[in-house]
Amino acid sequence: MPAQNHDPGPAVQFDGAAKTYPGGVTAVRGVTLDIAGGSFVALVGTSGSGKSTLLKMVNRLVEPSAGAVRIDGRAVDAEPAHLLRRRIGYVFQNVGLFPHLSVGENIAIGLRLSGERNHAARVAELLELVELSPDLATRMPDALSGGQRQRVGVARAIACEPRLMLMDEPFGALDPVTRDGLGKAIRALHDRMRLTTLMVTHDMAEALLLADRVLVMADGAIVADATPAELLAGRAGSAADALVAVPRDQAHRLAEIEARG
Ligand code: ADP
Ligand code: MG
């Protein structure tokens, strides 16, 4: 198993971070936010609310048009982007594995860039960490299921032992059972490695079940910021209540059916 990290992951700070794209769309309107090191934060909101833009400001796939983003107090643009990104795991929908490279080669890409040797043993460990068989290392990506591919994407993202994980709808279009299993695996990894995790999802139930803190985004702003317990207790405001109502109502209806026998 990879070395255990005992310090929690870094804190992330947004300081009036805003983004207006060339062409005039303002995707993020001056967000100020402190994310504690070691926390698992979910960013929820409807499509187009600015979640991905906010997330990508952290690894500089998007440069803010105003304000700043800091990791443990250090501005993200204080070093070249490629060095910053080497320390940040990034998992997104449809992971983007290289189709002409084996699973093992895909996972080892970052290791190779940082000059590490003995990939085979490390790849086997990483596959185990995401609960896949080490035998899969020699397979090609198109010979995997969607869920397996997403797990390989997670393994690749943690290969260089980042302390900060950014995940943008990491469950893609997976079926609910696979999605639930991968969600639990990601939370277990977060706890085991004491990462700081920022995860974008449009699914409030997923956010409530996985995260320590849920941020709701609407029209480029954070409109709710609460723990899952506060959200479920209706203490996070009307925008959040509307999103929480759906899974809660479903849970009640299921419980009623179960009670009826
Ligand atoms: P979300 O992830 O919540 O769906 P995004 O951050 O992707 O939201 O997008 C927020 C807004 O910014 C949307 O109106 C979207 O069309 C716009 N947008 C996103 N990326 C770009 C881009 N590269 N150029 C121009 N507009 C963009
Ligand atoms: Mg998005």
Side-chain angles (χ1 to χ4, degrees):
M1 289 285 115
Q4 296 280 315
N5 289 291
H6 297 290
D7 291 331
V12 179
Q13 189 180 32
F14 294 90
D15 185 359
K19 179 66 182 181
T20 298
Y21 284 107
V25 176
T26 296
V28 174
R29 302 168 192 280
V31 165
T32 295
L33 190 66
D34 275 306
I35 290 167
S39 58
F40 193 124
V41 176
L43 192 55
V44 188
T46 52
S47 181
S49 56
K51 306 180 298 295
S52 296
T53 301
L54 188 69
L55 193 77
K56 288 178 187 165
M57 286 186 200
V58 180
N59 62 359
R60 287 179 61 196
L61 290 174
V62 168
E63 301 285 353
S65 29
V69 181
R70 296 185 198 96
I71 297 177
D72 266 349
R74 186 170 188 229
V76 292
D77 59 0
E79 65 183 321
H82 72 278
L83 294 180
L84 172 82
R85 288 185 198 135
R86 208 171 279 176
R87 293 182 288 105
I88 302 176
Y90 182 49
V91 179
F92 45 96
Q93 193 169 350
N94 308 322
V95 289
L97 298 180
F98 295 102
H100 56 289
L101 298 181
S102 71
V103 164
E105 287 165 339
N106 265 285
I107 292 175
I109 274 180
L111 298 174
R112 221 166 25 184
L113 287 176
S114 48
E116 199 174 305
R117 311 242 289 256
N118 189 16
H119 299 152
R122 181 80 177 113
V123 164
E125 281 175 356
L126 288 160
L127 283 168
E128 222 173 289
L129 264 179
V130 295
E131 297 162 17
L132 289 176
S133 162
D135 301 343
L136 292 186
T138 53
R139 285 233 199 132
M140 299 308 279
D142 67 0
L144 300 179
S145 71
Q148 287 172 327
R149 273 201 288 271
Q150 291 298 105
R151 284 177 193 260
V152 171
V154 174
R156 183 177 60 183
I158 59 174
C160 294
E161 300 195 31
R163 309 299 301 126
L164 172 61
M165 266 294 223
L166 306 178
M167 303 203 170
D168 196 345
E169 314 240 7
F171 309 113
L174 301 177
D175 67 85
V177 173
T178 306
R179 206 176 162 110
D180 194 53
L182 184 56
K184 285 177 185 157
I186 284 172
R187 178 70 217 210
L189 263 181
H190 166 93
D191 291 337
R192 181 197 168 92
M193 298 172 75
R194 301 195 69 195
L195 303 172
T196 302
T197 302
L198 248 170
M199 185 185 81
V200 167
T201 172
H202 56 256
D203 185 335
M204 180 54 100
E206 207 156 73
L208 292 169
L209 289 167
L210 292 177
D212 305 317
R213 177 180 177 192
V214 180
L215 305 171
V216 179
M217 236 181 143
D219 195 21
I222 305 288
V223 296
D225 176 356
T227 64
E230 287 164 345
L231 278 156
L232 286 165
R235 292 202 299 270
S238 56
D241 284 349
L243 292 174
V244 172
V246 179
R248 187 173 30 212
D249 181 54
Q250 286 176 334
H252 285 164
R253 277 151 57 204
L254 288 172
E256 274 170 26
I257 293 169
E258 204 173 21
R260 261 186 258 136

